[in-house]
Every structure is written in structure tokens, then in C-alpha cells.
Amino acid sequence: MKIRDVMTPDAVAAHPETTLMAAAEMMRLLNVGSLPVVEGERIVGILTDRDIVVRGLALGFNPRTASVADVMTRNVQTCSVDEDVEDVAHQMRELQVRRLLVVDERERLIGIVSLGDLAMEMEDQRLAGRVLEGISEPSTSMTH
């Protein structure tokens, strides 16, 4: 099975200049915990609800004036729409991430795939459990 079969297509993206308040409202309305960040057609980051709280609010940023660019994760991990689901699951485990942005052959954002998307489709549920186990291990560094 390919990523195209399990991904969420047409992921809504934020822009670097979007305020944290506006991004949080987008997340609330969409019922999601992350937003890709794009500039034109280029992916420049990903913003998670954790980024807003830990890098934004906890450090004293004003959510009405601080921008997504101030707190987003810049080291973005992606996968291809044509990659195999199990290969991407292994990649997520190695990278210790719960979601990957899905890109086309020109590296343009076309969707997002989460651990939950993969776990529901993976034939070997033990593999899904090992992926979650690997992702849940303490990370050695925090990227920004």
C-alpha cells in the first residue's frame, strides 16, 4: 500500500507571517494538532500545538503579535506520495516523529500522513506497535 492511499490530502497550511493566535484558531477549527508552513509552494516548516505552547507562550511571546516563523519547527521531514506505507512507518520510527508532510515529485505539499493513518492501514499490527514504541522513546535533541 502506498502513502497516497492513507494520507490526508489537501493539508491546510499556515504562512510564516501568520500570528500564533490565527494559527491556533485554524487548528481548533480543523481539529488538528499541526499545520504545515509554506511560503509560496515551498515548505518552510511545521507548526504544532506544542510549538505554540512550549516555544511561544512559555517563552513569553504574545500570540496576537508573534508569528508562526518565531516558533515553528524548521527541520521538516517529508515523504513521497509513492512511498510504501511500511517504509514510511520505519522512517517515522527512526526520526521519532508522529507525522510527515507528503510531497509530490517537485517537493510541493500535497498532504500529511500521521502515525494514526499508518497504524490503521498496516497489516502487521505488531509493526505499528514497534513504530509507536520507537517514536515514544526520549529524543536526544530538540530541533528549531
Side-chain angles (χ1 to χ4, degrees), residues 74-93:
R74 296 175 188 280
N75 183 16
V76 182
Q77 304 299 326
T78 64
C79 66
S80 165
V81 68
D82 294 318
E83 284 186 68
D84 184 73
V85 167
E86 289 196 14
D87 292 339
V88 171
H90 287 294
Q91 180 183 0
M92 291 172 88
R93 179 181 176 156

Side-chain angles (χ1 to χ4, degrees), residues 12-77:
V12 174
H15 300 282
E17 66 278 358
T18 303
T19 66
L20 296 182
M21 182 75 79
E25 178 63 6
M26 289 171 66
M27 288 179 182
R28 184 185 73 78
L29 291 172
L30 296 167
N31 194 30
V32 298
S34 67
L35 294 170
V37 183
V38 298
E39 211 165 33
E41 290 187 348
R42 189 172 64 96
I43 298 170
V44 296
I46 189 165
L47 179 73
T48 66
D49 46 9
R50 188 174 193 282
D51 292 332
I52 293 172
V53 173
V54 174
R55 293 186 185 152
L57 300 179
L59 295 177
F61 283 91
N62 181 338
R64 286 178 168 60
T65 57
S67 71
V68 165
D70 293 330
V71 301
M72 70 183 184
T73 299
R74 296 175 188 280
N75 183 16
V76 182
Q77 304 299 326

Side-chain angles (χ1 to χ4, degrees), residues 2 6 15 17 23 33 44 48 51 54-56 69 94 96 99 110 112 114 122 125 144:
K2 302 294 182 189
V6 300
H15 300 282
E17 66 278 358
V44 296
T48 66
D51 292 332
V54 174
R55 293 186 185 152
E94 291 299 312
Q96 292 187 309
R99 65 189 64 80
I110 59 169
I112 192 165
S114 71
M122 292 175 71
Q125 292 301 312
H144 180 60

